[in-house]
Amino acid sequence: MTKGCASFGVLKNPNFSTVGWLLGRPINNFPVRASRFSRSRSRSRSRSRSLRPFAYPVDPAFTRAISCGDNWAIDAAAAVAVLYERCAGVRWSLRQAFVYPSPTTSTIYLQARFLCLTCGSLLQLLYKAAVLKMSEFLDLELQDGIRMPWNVIPGTKQETVNCVIPVSAIYTPLKPISDIPVLPYSPLRCRMCRSILNPFSIVDYVAKIWVCSFCFQRNQFPQHYSSISENNLPAELFPQYTTVEYISSTETGPIVPPVFIFVVDTCMIEEEIGYLKSALAQAVELLPDNSLVGFITFGTYVQVHELGFGLLPKSYVFKGTKEVTKEQILEQMCFFAGKKMPTTGVIAGTRDGLSSESISRFLLPASECEFVLNSVIEEIQKDPWPVPADQRASRCTGAALSVAANLLGVCVPGSGARIMAFVGGPSTEGPGPIVSKSLSEPIRSHKDLDKDSAPLYDKAVKFYDQIAKQLVHQGHVLDLFACAVDQVGVAEMKVAIEKTGGIVVLAESFGHSVFKDSLLRIFQSTDDNLGLSFNGILEINCSKDVKVQGIIGPCSSLEKKSPLSSDTVIGQGNTSAWKMCGLDRKTSLCLVYDIAKKDGPDSIAQSANNQFYFQFLTYYQHNEGQMRLRSTTISRRWVSGDNHVEELVAGFDQEAAAAVMARLVSFKMETEVDFDPVRWLDRALIRLCSKFGDYQKETPSSFSLSPRLSIFPQFIFNLRRSQFVQVFNNSPDETAYFRMMLDRENVTNTVVMIQPSLISYSFQSGPEPVLLDATAIASDKILLLDSYFTVVIFHGVTIAQWRNAGYQDQEGHEVFAQLLKAPHEEANLIIKERFPVPRLVVCDQYGSQARFLLAKLNPSVTYNSDNPSPGGDVIFTDDVSFQVFMDHLQRLAVQ
């Protein structure tokens, strides 16, 4: 036994069933079936709530060992912190506050888990260990909005390939950062590479010179920096301010109001139109007073409403069968009434001859057109053109979006604007239809797309790609609210929504809370608001040995070819600058890098400067109207050679790696022909485990993983089974929606999508995280599943019978009433802070909607199992369980 363990009462012969769920690690060389414990509180709430201690005091000897810096005690505390976090409901990322030395900690890690049985109030213990062995993953994300799979980077190209997971970063450009300095002057740029002065720059205070950390160019400080010294630094040189914002009126120009143009479908039943009218009326009341508003309705024809004509309703009608050009917009909507329209040049906005009066006929400040706009919304009626019983309605979605894009391009090019499309069915007419009018022809499925038997799909994608290019050029966003039981064409519109950074909400009806609450969330001014921003441009600077392969996420390449661009392209590549027409506080991008350094004597020996530098410059229109520049500069150490494997493992972020792999496999499924995602993920995991696992050759029972890697196989197991990889039982619209959300969310939310959280409520204990496993189901428990898109409250059969009998309303059963109420309160908290609002499903064991839970659980108990647990449930599937998956992984990894 390791030194010091005896004094803490560690059990010598632990019971397997008890230890298995605690550990998630091999015990006696046997792989324990385990799944990542879920978070019972979100990050934002866990920051504000106090941590809850256990009921027993901490052993004083253990606390003294921590204070003295005893390595075993620190590692033990780190392991206990993991368990403490899981059981006490502290946010999951606390486990990243520790670094585990990989070679010799398997025994320590096991024994440390048992310390939790006798060690109680772990607050002092946890924080002292955090000070002594702190990983910066969480701190760096809070400080800079960045998570990287490899926080110690493999230093050569070949080593990067061997590490399987690419060098990458998930960056949230507008992540809310406490105490971020907003500097009221222009940034100081390197005259060679145009990077911005940052804390990693070398400064000569005597000669008033600074050396760029990227290209090593010497730059002279301007006159207004003449008083700079070691004791008088500008904010951008403070070590803690690696992220700063600049706001300078000389560079940013005047404040520009946001523009919203509503594009509303009228080919729906009266009930749906009533729901939509009610939601739009509420949204209009929340619009900023200075924002410009336009309104378009469409069905068989497209109508552009002239809000500036308040005497009576007036609109311009366009035929839905044809695409409308800018010239037709200018001519038919009388923008040059009484004037001669120029015959040459591009006409766009007031600078090119359009009068502000002509523009204000269609785009008015919300405060000036509230009455007219509400009148137009109130008078929306179902499309009057008759629809034969054997045909679909004539819906010209493509033509309406084309009119909206051209109208914005004529009136407000370059200003932050959003086209908010509300669509209640498939497009059947005009440009970009997804299905014919005949009901005898079904809408395309995944099977049709795989067999290339969807004749309208490629044409529609090509049309929306042209819309995307136009909107990106103009700096405008396309948002889609698709509410219908049938598909509406999200798969075809995906290219336009994603390239412009638009929002997409998918629901079954305009009366569903998913749509109504999500629409209101966009405009509400609360602490959890989206903080919609516009017209963003992201630029990247890197050290000379780092190249950028591309970005997977809601952006579009500006095709700015530079020495930083890699020959290998992933996502939006071949550039070092990207356009982000729309972004908010949660928009995240996945940047994939390429290490250009070749193998050789110089790479094997560590150089004096073994740091890679990365700088992210985001120029955007703030939601308050002014233009800002956010600069984020980070540094990561690189290592080279086989003797630095432990350092690579110590800097491995499992959650970030899972998020990157999810985006990569989603991208490859859409762009590569005959791509097998499950095979690709399995091969990647086997290679990773073979390189970093601890095992004896050809001996599967000897296989084990460092705690830094131990949860990653579980992420891959659940990713293989997720809706991002398995498209069966999902429509192309649903799959496109899921992947768009995956590509824009941060690491925390991505992990919830991949591996949902599960919380158990029972009489025996308070809310506690449990395994995402079929064994978690019990007749006397309530389960709360958070899979990001859906929140499920699942009642065991006994709980459901008591509830149906009305026991919760009877005197003396207050505890039962509180038990029923607790998961609903937690579900409401989850729903309140998430966008789009997730669907809430309340179901009972053996009920039809229990499938929402059963589909996410590890099928450890199936119809083939010998002894299912009493009161539990059986999953009818032939999928392998996590136990079988790990058995195969061990056998293949040690070959």
Side-chain angles (χ1 to χ4, degrees):
M1 183 172 291
T2 307
K3 176 184 176 182
C5 289
S7 62
F8 304 122
V10 178
L11 303 179
K12 294 183 179 179
N13 296 309
N15 175 267
F16 173 76
S17 60
T18 304
V19 178
W21 69 270
L22 286 177
L23 187 58
R25 289 273 297 142
I27 303 176
N28 296 331
N29 295 324
F30 189 88
V32 178
R33 180 179 65 249
S35 179
R36 181 180 74 83
F37 274 70
S38 48
R39 307 181 332 274
S40 64
R41 293 291 186 270
S42 72
R43 291 181 183 226
S44 59
R45 293 196 303 279
S46 63
R47 280 197 295 269
S48 59
R49 298 185 181 185
S50 58
L51 305 182
R52 298 176 301 188
F54 286 125
Y56 306 102
V58 179
D59 191 305
F62 193 58
T63 305
R64 284 195 299 273
I66 288 290
S67 303
C68 296
D70 183 282
N71 284 332
W72 173 84
I74 293 169
D75 288 317
V80 173
V82 178
L83 183 72
Y84 172 74
E85 171 196 330
R86 292 176 177 180
C87 294
V90 186
R91 62 179 180 272
W92 171 249
S93 291
L94 271 179
R95 68 175 173 78
Q96 296 174 340
F98 304 92
V99 177
Y100 302 89
S102 55
T104 58
T105 54
S106 57
T107 305
I108 294 174
Y109 192 73
L110 167 61
Q111 294 163 342
R113 286 301 180 96
F114 283 99
L115 290 175
C116 70
L117 302 177
T118 54
C119 293
S121 180
L122 296 171
L123 293 182
Q124 286 186 333
L125 174 68
L126 193 151
Y127 284 116
K128 287 181 180 179
V131 170
L132 291 169
K133 274 208 164 178
M134 175 70 75
S135 169
E136 296 181 349
F137 298 166
L138 177 60
D139 287 343
L140 288 177
E141 186 183 17
L142 294 176
Q143 181 178 348
D144 298 317
I146 295 175
R147 294 278 290 272
M148 299 183 71
W150 301 107
N151 289 278
V152 177
I153 297 176
T156 66
K157 190 177 186 70
Q158 185 57 47
E159 288 177 348
T160 304
V161 173
N162 295 340
C163 286
V164 184
I165 312 293
V167 176
S168 49
I170 293 185
Y171 176 49
T172 308
L174 302 188
K175 179 178 177 63
I177 298 174
S178 59
D179 302 326
I180 180 174
V182 180
L183 310 179
Y185 50 84
S186 302
L188 202 57
R189 292 182 178 270
C190 171
R191 54 181 178 158
M192 180 70 71
C193 67
R194 306 300 295 165
S195 63
I196 287 178
L197 180 66
N198 60 80
F200 302 105
S201 302
I202 302 171
V203 179
D204 184 342
Y205 298 102
V206 177
K208 299 295 186 286
I209 289 174
W210 63 280
V211 179
C212 176
S213 52
F214 298 96
C215 66
F216 307 109
Q217 172 68 36
R218 295 167 64 86
N219 300 276
Q220 191 76 36
F221 280 107
Q223 184 62 34
H224 58 275
Y225 278 79
S226 59
S227 60
I228 189 173
S229 67
E230 293 185 21
N231 299 321
N232 185 25
L233 293 177
E236 60 265 38
L237 287 178
F238 277 50
Q240 68 270 30
Y241 291 154
T242 49
T243 296
V244 297
E245 283 201 0
Y246 296 90
I247 174 172
S248 172
S249 58
T250 57
E251 284 196 359
T252 58
I255 292 178
V256 182
V259 182
F260 299 96
I261 185 164
F262 297 93
V263 181
V264 179
D265 180 7
T266 59
C267 293
M268 298 181 289
I269 60 175
E270 294 289 349
E271 184 182 15
E272 284 295 302
I273 290 179
Y275 290 143
L276 180 55
K277 287 160 64 174
S278 175
L280 288 175
Q282 295 181 52
V284 166
E285 294 179 359
L286 298 174
L287 287 172
D289 289 340
N290 67 330
S291 62
L292 302 180
V293 187
F295 204 83
I296 296 175
T297 55
F298 70 94
T300 307
Y301 290 86
V302 180
Q303 298 184 56
V304 182
H305 296 266
E306 187 175 333
L307 301 180
F309 192 81
L311 300 178
L312 54 90
K314 182 179 178 182
S315 61
Y316 292 80
V317 181
F318 296 89
K319 198 171 183 180
T321 56
K322 296 181 180 179
E323 190 174 351
V324 182
T325 64
K326 281 186 180 181
E327 289 71 23
Q328 291 173 316
I329 291 280
L330 288 167
E331 181 181 352
Q332 298 181 26
M333 295 177 67
C334 305
F335 276 97
F336 285 93
K339 299 180 183 179
K340 185 178 180 180
M341 188 172 72
T343 56
T344 58
V346 179
I347 301 171
T350 55
R351 68 174 183 231
D352 293 320
L354 287 184
S355 64
S356 57
E357 290 79 10
S358 62
I359 294 175
S360 62
R361 291 162 52 214
F362 304 100
L363 298 176
L364 252 68
S367 58
E368 297 180 17
C369 67
E370 184 175 356
F371 175 76
V372 177
L373 187 57
N374 281 319
S375 299
V376 172
I377 292 173
E378 188 62 34
E379 293 174 5
I380 294 176
Q381 295 180 353
K382 182 181 177 182
D383 189 62
W385 295 90
V387 180
D390 61 342
Q391 290 189 2
R392 298 181 175 90
S394 297
R395 183 181 283 107
C396 56
T397 308
L401 295 178
S402 176
V403 169
N406 285 321
L407 179 61
L408 289 176
V410 165
C411 297
V412 286
S415 298
R418 307 187 82 95
I419 299 173
M420 308 188 79
F422 302 85
V423 184
S427 175
T428 58
E429 194 167 65
I434 69 166
V435 69
S436 69
K437 292 183 183 180
S438 175
L439 284 171
S440 61
E441 179 187 332
I443 298 181
R444 78 280 180 275
S445 63
H446 278 295
K447 191 174 182 180
D448 296 328
L449 297 180
D450 292 339
K451 291 184 176 181
D452 202 18
S453 58
L456 297 175
Y457 179 78
D458 290 333
K459 294 180 181 178
V461 171
K462 185 177 180 181
F463 167 74
Y464 285 110
D465 187 47
Q466 293 299 319
I467 292 284
K469 291 177 180 177
Q470 179 182 350
L471 291 174
V472 169
H473 178 71
Q474 296 171 179
H476 300 153
V477 187
L478 173 61
D479 298 328
L480 177 65
F481 299 85
C483 298
V485 177
D486 208 346
Q487 300 183 69
V488 304
V490 178
E492 286 82 358
M493 297 183 203
K494 178 178 183 290
V495 60
I497 298 169
E498 199 159 43
K499 284 189 175 182
T500 62
I503 292 168
V504 59
V505 175
L506 193 65
E508 297 175 354
S509 165
F510 284 109
H512 202 286
S513 60
V514 171
F515 163 72
K516 294 191 296 184
D517 295 344
S518 297
L519 179 61
L520 295 180
R521 187 79 54 81
I522 292 175
F523 300 107
Q524 283 176 340
S525 299
T526 62
D527 293 338
D528 295 327
N529 67 352
L530 294 182
L532 292 181
S533 300
F534 304 88
N535 251 343
I537 293 179
L538 175 68
E539 294 184 0
I540 302 296
N541 288 300
C542 310
S543 296
K544 66 174 184 177
D545 291 322
V546 181
K547 307 292 183 185
V548 182
Q549 294 186 8
I551 289 181
I552 301 175
C555 64
S556 182
S557 170
L558 287 179
E559 299 179 0
K560 181 184 176 183
K561 187 75 174 177
S562 76
L564 296 176
S565 305
S566 172
D567 294 334
T568 305
V569 176
I570 293 179
Q572 299 290 323
N574 262 333
T575 182
S576 60
W578 294 262
K579 181 74 173 181
M580 302 177 67
C581 299
L583 64 165
D584 56 57
R585 295 178 177 179
K586 296 183 179 179
T587 302
S588 300
L589 304 172
C590 178
L591 298 99
V592 184
Y593 295 101
D594 188 11
I595 305 301
K597 187 190 290 268
K598 303 291 185 180
D599 292 311
D602 294 336
S603 65
I604 296 175
Q606 294 289 303
S607 66
N609 183 15
N610 61 342
Q611 297 288 325
F612 283 149
Y613 298 100
F614 306 85
Q615 188 172 76
F616 309 85
L617 304 178
T618 309
Y619 187 71
Y620 68 101
Q621 180 182 327
H622 194 264
N623 54 11
E624 295 177 358
Q626 75 272 26
M627 299 300 294
R628 292 191 178 189
L629 173 62
R630 177 176 288 203
S631 170
T632 297
T633 310
I634 63 171
S635 171
R636 292 292 185 272
R637 186 166 59 91
W638 62 268
V639 295
S640 180
D642 296 335
N643 56 336
H644 294 284
V645 172
E646 297 174 14
E647 296 178 66
L648 291 173
V649 171
F652 185 70
D653 185 346
Q654 304 177 82
E655 290 182 335
V660 169
M661 293 297 282
R663 293 202 190 198
L664 283 174
V665 73
S666 173
F667 171 74
K668 287 177 176 291
M669 288 182 71
E670 293 183 349
T671 57
E672 296 185 11
V673 181
D674 298 330
F675 175 72
D676 188 342
V678 173
R679 189 178 183 87
W680 184 80
L681 287 171
D682 288 347
R683 284 181 170 180
L685 181 60
I686 292 168
R687 289 171 55 205
L688 186 76
C689 292
S690 296
K691 179 173 178 60
F692 296 106
D694 184 13
Y695 57 89
Q696 297 176 6
K697 199 73 172 176
E698 304 294 342
T699 310
S701 61
S702 66
F703 179 82
S704 65
L705 283 173
S706 160
R708 278 293 182 193
L709 292 157
S710 60
I711 306 171
F712 188 70
Q714 301 170 33
F715 289 146
I716 298 300
F717 171 75
N718 284 283
L719 178 59
R720 295 165 80 253
R721 305 176 68 236
S722 70
Q723 64 268 42
F724 308 115
V725 174
Q726 304 295 337
V727 299
F728 177 75
N729 206 32
N730 285 325
S731 68
D733 275 14
E734 289 173 315
T735 300
Y737 170 68
F738 293 142
R739 289 177 179 169
M740 275 192 284
M741 294 306 303
L742 173 74
D743 288 347
R744 66 177 290 120
E745 284 297 333
N746 59 26
V747 172
T748 304
N749 288 335
T750 301
V751 169
V752 175
M753 294 180 195
I754 296 171
Q755 186 163 297
S757 62
L758 190 63
I759 304 173
S760 173
Y761 297 80
S762 66
F763 289 110
Q764 288 74 29
S765 62
E768 58 179 1
V770 293
L771 284 173
L772 192 68
D773 193 280
T775 57
I777 297 176
S779 60
D780 60 346
K781 291 183 178 181
I782 301 176
L783 298 178
L784 175 64
L785 177 81
D786 177 14
S787 64
Y788 190 84
F789 301 103
T790 308
V791 177
V792 182
I793 299 177
F794 176 92
H795 300 91
V797 62
T798 303
I799 296 290
Q801 291 171 351
W802 291 347
R803 182 204 60 211
N804 295 336
Y807 288 145
Q808 68 275 14
D809 301 324
Q810 299 178 13
E811 188 177 354
H813 293 279
E814 290 79 8
V815 175
F816 179 58
Q818 181 59 36
L819 180 66
L820 290 176
K821 185 179 178 182
H824 285 271
E825 292 176 345
E826 179 67 20
N828 290 334
L829 290 173
I830 294 172
I831 292 171
K832 183 180 178 181
E833 62 186 23
R834 183 166 296 164
F835 183 89
V837 172
R839 177 182 179 182
L840 177 63
V841 176
V842 181
C843 60
D844 299 334
Q845 189 175 3
Y846 308 126
S848 62
Q849 289 194 315
R851 66 185 187 275
F852 286 98
L853 172 69
L854 299 179
K856 298 294 183 181
L857 298 180
N858 172 35
S860 59
V861 182
T862 67
Y863 64 93
N864 287 324
S865 301
D866 296 331
N867 297 312
S869 58
D873 214 331
V874 174
I875 298 179
F876 293 91
T877 182
D878 290 323
D879 289 349
V880 299
S881 66
F882 181 66
Q883 178 65 60
V884 175
F885 176 78
M886 284 301 296
D887 288 343
H888 283 77
L889 174 62
Q890 289 180 102
R891 190 176 68 251
L892 294 170
V894 301
Q895 289 180 357

